[in-house]
Amino acid sequence: MTCDITWISISGDAHQPCSAIQDVTDILKTVGRLLDQGVECWVVVRLDSVEVVKDVFWVGAVDWNVRNFHGFTYSTHRGTTYNAYLIRDKRIALVDSVYAPFSEEMVQRIREIVDPSKIEYVVANHVETDHSGAISRILELAPNAKVVGTARCKEGLQKHYFGDWDFQVVKTGDEIGLGEKSLRFLEAPMLHWPDSMFTYIEKDALLLPNDAFGQHLATSKRFDDEVDERILMDEAAKYYANILWPFSQLITRKIEEVQRMDLKINTIAPSHGIIWRSNPTRIVEAYLKWAAGEARKRTLIVYDTMWESTEKMARAILEGVRSLGVEAMLVRLPLSDRGDIIKELLDAKGLLMGSSTINNGPLPTLAPFLEELRGLKPSNKIAAAFGSYGWGGGAVRAVEDALGRAGIQVVSPSLTVKWVPDVDELRRCFEFGKEFARKVLE
Ligand code: FEO
């Protein structure tokens, strides 16, 4: 004897009214009871797709539990999504896929709309595995599909998956007709990798820019008008600062290129997070601002301390900064998340960095942050260094050198204190902060 239990979203049973099953535990109890009775049964988890515009469906996956991304380089406190888009037309296309562990989730969403074997084009906007991880699986199901991407994408996918796939290389301006709709491609190297490109559907004024304009945000909602705007922009800023900041010049040029092409864009559907449908201009304007290095006249004081001398300095400096009405934020490095600090820096003109001295250098806890700054090369920032020492010193000089390597202009002479700051030295710290605030206000 066979029966099906269909769990729709969070509850539902083919044999009982949905209201009779309240949660997963109830479903499992029902399954257990049926199994005890010798009834063969399946739990069918139904995963809904979401129609972004007519006949373009979100078929991605929500990764609620990921807390570290790119290895351990980016904290994802709010999880993420891997967005893939299915275009249903005379010919069916899938744009991007998902991280491999979510392959079946994506396939299931596709099955809700079409038979996966009918897919004729698998567009890979980007090689990185969070978007290409399910490509092998989808090509098993759609063995006649062409893989579409840039020349570098072809090379990258072959080196990742070693598949003998039918590949169609595209470049800016190339188009693939699907029937009513067509896919137009725009190369976007370094947004986020050399292989990256955007896909544009003119009929729907829909841009699928992969990593660009994304956010690491897991939510059951799919659109910008359905989520808290502050959280959305916070995650978008963190994403930009931690991933795209080094490519700011390219981003400005790419946005200007798109503007010159005069493409109508009503919806921007990135590969992470929510889809910008109510106000896509909002995120484009934010990108232009971030790429230009525009930031508020505020100051981050980022430091670590061994026996509280540098901490006392940092607090006195904070008061000095505040005395001119400049907003300041005190961040002790090992206690704070590096990715969050970098996001804060995106919107702060000033950076003051402090450290105690150990072995003639800064505390090692500063190193990951300074190394991250070197790679991100934040533009239009000003900085100064401070710290304490017992005998030889060296921490503050090393911090200044590291700031220079990150391309950050050091605008004030550093401030050092031997052992513990006394009243006069704390006054100097206050003045140091005040002087820096003047420069922030310029
Ligand atoms: Fe979300 Fe560059 O991958």
Side-chain angles (χ1 to χ4, degrees), residues 49-59 83-86 181 204 206-208 222-223 266-270 275-277:
S49 56
V50 175
E51 194 162 27
V52 178
V53 295
K54 189 171 182 316
D55 288 325
V56 176
F57 299 87
W58 175 87
V59 290
N83 298 342
Y85 299 96
L86 186 82
K181 300 176 196 277
D204 302 315
L206 171 64
L207 184 69
L208 307 171
R222 297 276 70 81
F223 297 101
N266 289 342
T267 309
I268 297 176
I275 295 161
W276 307 88
R277 72 172 173 190

Side-chain angles (χ1 to χ4, degrees), residues 69-70 126 128-131 192-193 196 210-211 216 239 243 271-272:
F69 204 78
H70 281 160
H126 181 24
E128 197 162 9
T129 49
D130 48 335
H131 309 295
H192 157 229
W193 279 4
S196 296
N210 196 265
D211 274 336
H216 288 308
Y239 188 94
I243 296 179
S271 59
H272 293 293

